[in-house]
Amino acid sequence: DRQKHIRNFSIVAHIDHGKSTLADRILEMTHSVAQRQMKAQILDDMPLERERGITIKMNSVEVHYDAKDGQRYIFHLIDTPGHVDFSYEVSRALAAADGALLVVDATQGVQAQTLANVYLAIDNDLEILPVINKIDLPSADPKGTKAEIEDDIGIDTSDAADVSAKTGLGVADLLEKIVKIIPAPTGDLNAPLQALIFDSKYDSYRGVVLSIRVKEGQIHLGDKIRLMNAGADYEVTELGVFSPDATPRKELIAGDVGYLTASIKDIHIARSGDTVTNADRPAQKALQGYRPMTPMVYAGIYPTDNGKYNELRDALDKLSLNDASLEYEPETSTALGFGFRVGFLGLLHMDVVQERLEREFDLEIVITAPTVTYHVIKTDGSEEDISNPSDIPDASSIKEIREPFVNATIMVPEQYVGTVMELAQAKRGIFDTMDYLDKSRVNVKYKMPLSEIIFDFFDKIKSSTKGYASLDYSLAGFFVSDLKKIDILLNGDKVDALSFISHKDFADNRARVVTGKLKKVIPRQNFEIPIQAAIGSKIIARTNIKAYRKDVTVKIHTGDPDRRAKLLDKQRAGKARMKSIGRVDVPQEAFMAILKNS
Ligand code: GTP
C-alpha cells in the first residue's frame, strides 16, 4: 500500500530556469524543513554551488505531502544540474525516477538544454509534467511557452502547471498534479532485491555511502548484500533516506530512493550503475547500468608540492566516486613532475574539479591548459590518440592530424542570427542548417572544432546576443585539420606543459598573444628570462621578462618584526600555486595563458 503512495520524480530544466528555487518551495510547502532552517537553494549544499548559484550535484530528498484526497504521499524529489557539462549527473538521476518536472522559464521559453534534458527524460521512459515558471514576471508568456513546448518537443501541455517558484504561486496546484500525473513505482516487493546505485560518496567514518533506487524486492538493516558487477559481498550497516538530512530507516522497499552504507572501504568497488542484490537470494541479472561518458577536454593536474602526489591520487579516487564522469591516469611532465591527465566534460566541469580538489581535499594544485584529443596518423601508417599536446610527435613523422568536431546547435532570436553566424565562421565553423522554430526563433547548426567551442565560443555568443542564445553540442567525429604544435621556451628550455596546438592560420597570432600573456604573469627574477614560441625549430614569437634592478629581499630584513612577518606571509601566499621550472617560478595563470585569444 505504501508503494502506491510513492512518487519519484526529478526536476530538469535549462540552466537558471528555476529548478532549485522550485525544489525550495516544494520543501517548504510540504513542511519538510523547519521555517528557521529554510534558506534559498537549500539542496545546493556544496559551498561551491551556493557561491556560484548553480547546481553541480544532484540531490535527492524525501518529503511527505498530504493531498486533497486525504491521503499522505511520499515524494522523492531529485534536483539536477542544468549546465551541459553536468548532463551525466542528470542522466543518472533520471534513472532513479519515474517522472520528471520539466521546468521552463516563461520569459525565456524552450532553450537548448531544455531540449537536451527533456530528451534524456524521454529516453528513460519518464512521465513528463511541464511546469511553466516565473509567471510573476511582467514579461512572462506562459501561453507562448506552452506552444513552444508542444511544437519543439511534441509533448502535451494541457496538464502543465503555471507557477512562480519564487512567490509560491501555483505550487499548491502543482503538488496535486504530481500525485495525479507522476505514476507510482511498480516493482514486486517479494522479488529478489535489485537496487540501482545512482550516486555515491566517500565518508571517512562510514566508508562509501551509496545512493540507491530500489527497483525490485526489499532491503533491510543487517542484510547480506552483493554488488553484482563488482562481485563483492557486504553487510548493510546503515539504511535511510535524505529528508534533507540523512534519516535512518530499518528497511527500504521497491520504489524507495535512499542510501545505504556497508563499511565499504575500497572506493574502486562501489561504482554508480552497479546493482545491489541480496547475497543469500541474488537476482538473476544486474540492472542496466550507465553508458560511460567520453570526456571532451583533458588537462594535466599536478601538486604544486611534488611530495603530494599520493595525496592527489587519493583525492582523485575519492572525488571520482562522487563525480562519475571524472577520468584520470598518471602522467609525467619534465617541467611539472608527476601528476595526472584528467578528462572533463567541459571547462566548467574542469573548474569545479579544480576547486573541489583544493577545498574538499585541501590540496594545492596546478592545472595545465585544457586540450581536446587529437587523432594522429603517422607516415609509417600507425595511429595514435593524443590528449597532451607535448606528446604530438615531430612534424616530419606525421601524415595528418584529425581533431574532434561537434554538431553545434545554437538557438537564437532571429535578430541575432547574423552575429552568431559571423562568430561561428570566425571559429572555423562549417554551416550546416538553419530552421525557423517559429516566427522569431531560429535554430542554427554548425559543424565546429570542439577546441574552438571550449575556448570562448559560448561566452562570446552569450555576450553578443545579450544572453539570448543557448548552445548545445554533441560529438560529430574526427576530421583532418591543418594543425601545428607550438612549443614554449622559457629561458631557452622547452616547457612541455606549455605546448599547445593551433590551427595553422591562427598560429602566429596565438604565439604572440601567449608569449605576451606569459610575460605579464611570470614574476620578474634577478636575471632576464627570454620567452619564445616555436614550431619545430623555427621561432615564431619572442619577448623578454626584464631582471629586477635591486634585490627586494633586502627590504624584508629591515623594518619591524611584525611588518617583516606580514611581508613573508604575503610572499608565501604569492608562491601558492606556483611551480618552479628550471630557475623560473611559473604561476598557475601562466598555464591558462594559452586559453587567451587576445
Ligand atoms: P541551475 O541549478 O544552476 O541550473 O539553476 P536553476 O535552474 O536551479 O535555477 P535557480 O533556481 O537557481 O534560479 C535561477 C534564478 O531565477 C534565481 O535568481 C532565482 O531567484 C530566479 N527565479 C527562480 N524562479 C523564479 C520565479 O518564479 N520568479 C522569478 N522572478 N525569479 C525566479
Side-chain angles (χ1 to χ4, degrees):
D1 190 49
R2 174 176 138 90
Q3 205 184 27
K4 276 200 210 105
H5 291 91
I6 298 178
R7 298 290 181 274
N8 290 321
F9 58 94
S10 190
I11 311 183
V12 296
H14 186 76
I15 193 158
D16 278 347
H17 280 201
K19 287 177 306 292
S20 303
T21 310
L22 181 62
D24 285 354
R25 283 301 83 66
I26 295 178
L27 256 56
E28 201 176 60
M29 295 178 73
T30 53
H31 315 287
S32 306
V33 237
Q35 199 56 253
R36 72 191 145 75
Q37 281 173 0
M38 194 61 208
K39 54 184 180 187
Q41 265 104 38
I42 190 161
L43 291 184
D44 289 343
D45 52 4
M46 219 192 279
L48 198 56
E49 293 182 312
R50 305 197 62 84
E51 275 165 36
R52 298 197 179 189
I54 57 167
T55 306
I56 294 165
K57 278 296 298 174
M58 64 169 119
N59 265 301
S60 63
V61 56
E62 178 177 302
V63 305
H64 292 215
Y65 173 59
D66 294 318
K68 291 209 179 107
D69 63 7
Q71 313 260 340
R72 169 166 283 199
Y73 290 86
I74 302 159
F75 288 177
H76 291 135
L77 172 164
I78 308 173
D79 185 19
T80 61
H83 192 281
V84 53
D85 280 17
F86 305 116
S87 57
Y88 196 50
E89 202 63 24
V90 180
S91 69
R92 294 202 336 284
L94 294 180
D98 301 305
L101 307 188
L102 174 69
V103 176
V104 184
D105 181 337
T107 67
Q108 302 253 316
V110 170
Q111 296 293 319
Q113 283 300 311
T114 313
L115 290 179
N117 287 330
V118 77
Y119 290 146
L120 284 177
I122 293 171
D123 285 347
N124 278 283
D125 290 326
L126 302 191
E127 185 68 37
I128 292 159
L129 172 56
V131 178
I132 315 301
N133 190 29
K134 306 201 187 181
I135 56 164
D136 58 294
L137 293 174
S139 57
D141 176 14
K143 243 194 179 158
T145 304
K146 278 181 218 167
E148 284 178 18
I149 293 175
E150 302 223 339
D151 296 347
D152 302 352
I153 310 171
I155 52 180
D156 180 32
T157 56
S158 47
D159 287 321
D162 290 0
V163 306
S164 164
K166 192 171 178 178
T167 67
L169 182 69
V171 179
D173 228 29
L174 170 64
L175 294 175
E176 285 294 313
K177 283 185 169 154
I178 291 170
V179 170
K180 291 205 183 72
I181 289 161
I182 309 288
T186 53
D188 182 353
L189 301 190
N190 299 312
L193 172 69
Q194 278 182 315
L196 179 71
I197 302 177
F198 64 93
D199 197 14
S200 50
K201 69 171 186 233
Y202 190 78
D203 180 297
S204 40
Y205 300 107
R206 300 184 292 170
V208 179
V209 182
L210 302 175
S211 293
I212 53 167
R213 157 75 196 261
V214 184
K215 297 274 189 181
E216 302 283 343
Q218 320 184 4
I219 183 166
H220 308 91
L221 208 58
D223 278 357
K224 269 234 309 281
I225 50 158
R226 175 167 302 157
L227 304 183
M228 294 186 82
N229 296 334
D233 290 2
Y234 296 94
E235 192 182 302
V236 178
T237 50
E238 193 184 329
L239 212 52
V241 297
F242 293 105
S243 62
D245 300 323
T247 312
R249 289 281 160 82
K250 288 212 166 56
E251 61 170 28
L252 294 175
I253 63 165
D256 272 332
V257 174
Y259 69 87
L260 80 81
T261 67
S263 305
I264 305 172
K265 294 289 177 189
D266 183 349
I267 29 198
H268 299 284
I269 279 187
R271 310 307 302 190
S272 291
D274 203 346
T275 302
V276 181
T277 193
N278 194 301
D280 297 328
R281 194 186 159 216
Q284 292 288 326
K285 55 178 194 193
L287 298 161
Q288 198 188 346
Y290 303 108
R291 218 166 14 99
M293 278 310 263
T294 321
M296 290 284 196
V297 293
Y298 290 85
I301 293 189
Y302 293 82
T304 47
D305 171 356
N306 288 337
K308 295 270 171 75
Y309 173 81
N310 286 332
E311 286 171 39
L312 175 58
R313 191 192 49 219
D314 271 6
L316 282 167
D317 281 347
K318 285 176 184 157
L319 187 59
S320 77
L321 255 193
N322 197 234
D323 180 351
S325 59
L326 192 64
E327 265 189 25
Y328 52 97
E329 54 180 48
E331 89 172 354
T332 42
S333 149
T334 343
L336 302 179
F338 292 99
F340 294 87
R341 178 101 325 217
V342 186
F344 307 96
L345 298 179
L347 289 196
L348 179 61
H349 184 212
M350 180 176 105
D351 222 27
V352 163
V353 167
Q354 171 179 1
E355 291 237 16
R356 290 188 72 183
L357 284 173
E358 295 191 329
R359 291 178 188 211
E360 292 168 34
F361 300 93
D362 202 20
L363 283 168
E364 260 175 28
I365 55 173
V366 290
I367 184 159
T368 64
T371 169
V372 300
T373 297
Y374 295 95
H375 195 69
V376 176
I377 297 166
K378 298 212 229 151
T379 44
D380 66 7
S382 62
E383 299 182 11
E384 229 182 312
D385 277 330
I386 295 180
S387 61
N388 183 344
S390 74
D391 292 341
I392 301 256
D394 200 53
S396 61
S397 65
I398 295 177
K399 181 162 161 265
E400 61 189 36
I401 303 181
R402 295 183 191 160
E403 66 175 325
F405 274 64
V406 294
N407 291 316
T409 303
I410 305 146
M411 213 181 254
V412 69
E414 75 168 334
Q415 68 265 37
Y416 297 113
V417 168
T419 320
V420 164
M421 290 177 86
E422 250 171 58
L423 277 171
Q425 246 119 25
K427 296 281 188 187
R428 301 192 280 136
I430 301 159
F431 179 74
D432 198 0
T433 57
M434 184 170 110
D435 297 306
Y436 273 81
L437 289 164
D438 49 47
K439 272 195 267 42
S440 60
R441 287 179 320 138
V442 185
N443 225 356
V444 192
K445 296 194 178 181
Y446 270 87
K447 225 175 223 82
M448 292 186 62
L450 175 62
S451 64
E452 302 287 352
I453 292 235
I454 60 170
F455 284 175
D456 60 354
F457 183 64
F458 188 49
D459 289 343
K460 282 232 165 84
I461 283 216
K462 275 267 170 200
S463 59
S464 57
T465 61
K466 299 210 173 81
Y468 277 117
S470 63
L471 168 77
D472 186 45
Y473 55 84
S474 59
L475 218 51
F478 283 73
F479 299 93
V480 178
S481 287
D482 195 351
L483 300 171
K484 300 286 177 208
K485 176 170 83 162
I486 301 177
D487 292 316
I488 298 290
L489 293 85
L490 285 184
N491 208 16
D493 297 326
K494 184 149 91 184
V495 179
D496 58 356
L498 288 174
S499 295
F500 63 97
I501 308 291
S502 165
H503 188 266
K504 179 177 139 278
D505 295 348
F506 304 152
D508 285 342
N509 185 47
R510 292 286 301 284
R512 255 195 315 275
V513 171
V514 170
T515 48
K517 176 79 185 169
L518 288 173
K519 176 180 174 159
K520 278 203 199 106
V521 297
I522 295 175
R524 286 180 170 203
Q525 332 246 327
N526 51 18
F527 54 94
E528 187 172 86
I529 310 164
I531 305 174
Q532 296 159 303
I535 296 179
S537 57
K538 189 174 152 226
I539 304 292
I540 57 169
R542 74 171 81 226
T543 181
N544 280 315
I545 301 173
K546 295 228 163 55
Y548 280 133
R549 278 238 201 82
K550 53 183 175 214
D551 188 355
V552 287
T553 52
V554 173
K555 265 202 190 130
I556 296 177
H557 298 297
T558 59
D560 68 290
D562 245 18
R563 201 163 154 260
R564 196 161 78 205
K566 259 191 208 143
L567 258 161
L568 279 170
D569 272 354
K570 227 175 166 176
Q571 268 210 338
R572 238 178 264 130
K575 275 237 160 58
R577 297 173 83 188
M578 187 91 87
K579 265 302 218 194
S580 301
I581 298 177
R583 295 162 62 207
V584 185
D585 282 343
V586 181
Q588 166 68 60
E589 288 164 279
F591 298 100
M592 293 299 146
I594 293 157
L595 287 182
K596 297 281 179 260
N597 272 319
S598 50

